Every structure is written in structure tokens, then in C-alpha cells.
Amino acid sequence: MRYIILFLLPLLLSANLTYLTTQNKEITILESFDIDPSFLYDPIMNEMKNSKKDMYDEENFFQIMDEAHLFIPTVKEILATHSVPPEFLFLAMAESSFSTKAYSVKKASGFWQFMPETAKLYGLKIDQYVDERRDVIKSTEAAAKYLSALHDKFGKWYLAAIAYNCGEGKLANAISRAKSDDLLVLLNPQEKYIPKESRIFIRKILSLALIGNDEQLLLNNEYEYLLNRANADSISTVKVSRGESLKRISELIDIPLPELQKLNRHLKYDFSPPYIHSYDIYIPYIKLSSFKQNYFEEEIKNFYKVHIVTKGESLYTIGKKYNVSQNAIKDFNALKNNRLSLNQQLIIPIDSRIASATNIGRDFTHNVKLEKA
């Protein structure tokens, strides 16, 4: 028996040490949100964490983390620059599952699910050519600034997270009615100080953060590489000239076009905005050297104008207006027939020489100024 005990003792000590280490990390995560460690025993949060019905199953969780692997190091770096706890990465996961294409019925969009008004307030451009809510870098910068402002206003990180979800006004009213900003008080399901969605939201962020930082879980599922992302597993920002084609960039740096498009969802079309001299796009860090060696600014052959179809217009009349053949418009927009619908958007490739020598050029410049404003 003594030998059995001596054999089992190291295993028991190791298991106990692992438990304590895990618990300490979980407490650290809660403290990063300014939440008391006792919240680790919140039954609803633990049910969300452990239940596949209410939470991501493990396979889906790791798949989402893996698909966003190029973004995650850069997002964490930006959050750190603005003194936002890195665990707020999981606020984005709760909002969008790390999808830059995410779009809600309330018209929130992108990685951080910005509403149009808030996005513009924090400098994100939304126009006919770009939606920078889908720009991972710029939207993360905006989210970090917004979260910092919410923290400055309410004084605690969990309050910043709740305000991000339900709005500053609703949270301020909730604190006023509750006469407290204590998390447990605000989460009271009978009093309903904050909306049910927000009561779930803060627990969802915490659950995701706890899962995402569970080293044993990652190791057991052979996802330990998620723990140590290097700079090579990130993205780089490069500047391209106006109207630059993503297809051309993909050929120059030898990257599949769909992969490049995925990194640049903020572009509504496969070219950079034509109204600005240069514009930021994103490529994998490992392709940066190739870009520096191979990229050169090509003379613009075409301007690209977005035309919105009005009543009575046809491909023929639109083509005549811009001195472009109707077949070129049809081919460029992959139209199967000549039928157009009201308010349909068409991309018009206008030859730069024709544009500069005719009223089209002046008309285009005028439209550009309006769009830029």
C-alpha cells in the first residue's frame, strides 16, 4: 500500500497543481474585467461554458479561433496599445464569431458589430466603395477607443462591455435605478435593470475568455498552437494606388484571390477606392517581402464608378452616358441578361483618357468629392 501511495502521490500533486494553476488563470481573467473572483461560481455562466446547447461546442470554438488566426495577434496588439485588456478579444468573438462579413438585422456590421452612427463617430468610412466596419485593423482601433471611452465614463471594464452591448444611456439609467453599479445587482433577473440580452452577453464574453485561455483544453484537443501565435501568423498593412485591383495584387504576391478578398472585406468591390491617392489593404505577413519586391504602381487604365440605376435607364443609355459599350458593362458586372432593376448598383469601367478629355472626368471628380465628404 505504501508503494502505491508513493506512486500516486506525484500524480495527485500534479493534478492539484494543474487545478490551482487553471483556477488562478480564471481568476485573473475575471479580474481583468474588474469582476470579483466569486463570479467563477455563477451558475448561468458555468452552464453557458459547459453546455453545448447554449455555447459553442468545442469543435466549432476551435474552428472559429483557427480561421481568425491571422487577425488575432494584431487585434491583441491594438487592444494593448489602448490599454484595453486582451480578454476583450472575446467580445468580438461574442459579437461576430470573428467574421468580418457579420451583419445584424439592426444594421450592425463587421468584426466588432458597429452600428453606422457609432462607426462614423470613431472615424470609420462607409460609402459606395468601402465599409470600414469590416476592416479588422481600423474597426479594432475604433473599438479600442470606444471601449476606453466607456471605461473612462463608467470606471469598470465589465460596465464598458455591458454598455458596448446595450448602449451608454441604458446602462446609465440602469445604474441610477439600481443605485449601484455592482455586477450582481445589475444582473438581477427579477429587477431587470439591464436587458436580458446584455445579461447573457457579459456572461458569454467571460465564458469564451475562459475557454480560450484553458491550456489543458487546447492541449487535449491538439490546438496548442493557438497558444503561441508568432508574428509570421499575422497580417501586414500595405498601401496601394487608387483603383488598384485585388486580382492584380494576388498575382503579384502569389496568393489565391479568395484569400486576399477575405482579408479585405472592407472593400465592397475588388478594387481600392478611386477617390483617394492611396489606400490600405491587408496581406499575410509572410507575403510582405514579396509585395515589396514585386509591387509597382501601374498607370490607371480605368476609373471605376458606381452607377445607381434610375427609372427608365437601360444598359444602352448608361453605356452611352459613360462612353462604354453595354456589353462591357454587362461583362464587368457578370449580368446574365440586359434586365436592370431600380436602384441596382453597376460598376462602370471608364477609360481614364476618355474621362480626362470629356465631361465624364469632371462629373466623376465631382461625385468623388461628394462621396469623400
Side-chain angles (χ1 to χ4, degrees):
M1 178 66 71
R2 185 175 67 179
Y3 293 111
I4 294 174
I5 293 173
L6 289 174
F7 174 75
L8 291 176
L9 187 58
L11 296 177
L12 293 171
L13 289 173
S14 176
N16 188 52
L17 182 61
T18 300
Y19 171 77
L20 290 174
T21 302
T22 300
Q23 187 179 51
N24 287 337
K25 286 188 175 181
E26 290 178 338
I27 290 172
T28 299
I29 289 169
L30 291 187
E31 288 178 341
S32 71
F33 285 91
D34 298 320
I35 296 174
D36 190 272
S38 62
F39 199 75
L40 274 179
Y41 304 102
D42 178 75
I44 299 174
M45 183 187 73
N46 281 302
E47 183 182 352
M48 291 177 67
K49 179 185 170 188
N50 299 322
S51 171
K52 292 185 178 182
K53 179 180 177 181
D54 297 326
M55 201 60 193
Y56 300 95
D57 59 44
E58 290 176 6
E59 183 179 350
N60 190 34
F61 177 88
F62 294 127
Q63 183 180 349
I64 291 169
M65 290 285 287
D66 196 39
E67 288 180 353
H69 75 276
L70 288 178
F71 299 140
I72 289 174
T74 306
V75 169
K76 285 185 173 181
E77 184 179 337
I78 293 171
L79 293 176
T81 300
H82 293 275
S83 300
V84 177
E87 289 77 14
F88 270 81
L89 167 74
F90 295 96
L91 184 150
M93 191 179 196
E95 286 281 11
S96 68
S97 294
F98 293 150
S99 171
T100 52
K101 293 192 298 182
Y103 192 83
S104 78
V105 293
K106 296 180 180 179
K107 298 184 179 180
S109 183
F111 203 78
W112 294 91
Q113 286 292 281
F114 270 109
M115 295 292 285
E117 299 79 10
T118 310
K120 291 176 182 178
L121 182 65
Y122 282 88
L124 299 178
K125 190 186 296 295
I126 304 171
D127 61 24
Q128 287 181 317
Y129 299 93
V130 298
D131 186 343
E132 292 181 343
R133 293 177 297 172
R134 296 184 172 187
D135 182 318
V136 174
I137 306 301
K138 291 179 181 176
S139 68
T140 300
E141 287 278 359
K145 291 175 183 176
Y146 184 32
L147 287 166
S148 292
L150 291 173
H151 179 259
D152 289 345
K153 179 173 182 176
F154 293 104
K156 296 172 183 174
W157 283 115
Y158 68 80
L159 294 174
I162 294 171
Y164 193 97
N165 178 257
C166 70
E168 299 171 50
K170 282 187 179 180
L171 179 58
N173 288 336
I175 293 171
S176 177
R177 287 191 296 115
K179 296 181 174 57
S180 172
D181 65 3
D182 182 86
L183 180 60
L184 292 179
V185 174
L186 294 174
L187 292 179
N188 188 310
Q190 281 75 43
E191 297 295 341
K192 300 178 182 178
Y193 291 119
I194 59 175
K196 182 179 179 180
E197 178 188 345
S198 299
R199 299 199 299 271
I200 293 172
F201 184 72
I202 185 63
R203 290 178 167 109
K204 186 175 183 180
I205 298 170
L206 295 172
S207 299
L208 291 170
L210 291 170
I211 294 171
N213 286 279
D214 188 335
E215 291 188 13
Q216 286 302 311
L217 183 64
L218 294 171
L219 290 169
N220 292 341
N221 286 276
E222 299 182 354
Y223 279 91
E224 67 271 17
Y225 62 88
L226 291 173
L227 294 169
N228 299 300
R229 290 296 192 189
N231 285 335
D233 292 316
S234 62
I235 57 177
S236 289
T237 305
V238 296
K239 289 191 178 295
V240 297
S241 57
R242 62 177 182 155
E244 181 60 81
S245 162
L246 287 185
K247 185 174 186 298
R248 176 172 175 259
I249 299 298
S250 72
E251 292 168 352
L252 289 176
I253 65 174
D254 190 26
I255 181 176
L257 179 58
E259 186 177 336
L260 190 60
Q261 290 169 327
K262 183 178 179 180
L263 295 178
N264 294 280
R265 298 289 189 198
H266 55 295
L267 300 179
K268 291 186 176 180
Y269 307 98
D270 285 344
F271 56 85
S272 62
Y275 54 70
I276 189 169
H277 179 69
S278 63
Y279 193 76
D280 291 343
I281 68 164
Y282 307 110
I283 62 174
Y285 177 83
I286 58 174
K287 292 292 182 179
L288 182 58
S289 176
S290 179
F291 178 86
K292 290 179 178 179
Q293 291 174 12
N294 298 319
Y295 181 71
F296 60 94
E297 186 174 332
E298 190 174 52
E299 183 180 352
I300 297 177
K301 295 178 181 177
N302 293 306
F303 287 113
Y304 298 98
K305 171 143 180 63
V306 177
H307 177 88
I308 300 176
V309 178
T310 58
K311 187 177 181 180
E313 286 190 316
S314 66
L315 284 176
Y316 172 76
T317 59
I318 294 170
K320 189 174 180 180
K321 176 179 180 179
Y322 296 109
N323 202 14
V324 180
S325 75
Q326 61 177 346
N327 286 334
I329 299 173
K330 187 175 178 180
D331 291 343
F332 204 82
N333 291 274
L335 301 177
K336 295 181 179 179
N337 52 56
N338 292 340
R339 290 197 299 270
L340 299 176
S341 57
L342 193 64
N343 296 322
Q344 180 177 353
Q345 292 189 349
L346 297 173
I347 308 170
I348 313 296
I350 305 171
D351 188 287
S352 60
R353 293 167 297 178
I354 295 175
S356 61
T358 65
N359 286 333
I360 295 175
R362 289 190 286 275
D363 178 60
F364 180 84
T365 304
H366 176 69
N367 278 299
V368 163
K369 287 180 178 176
L370 287 176
E371 291 158 3
K372 190 174 180 180

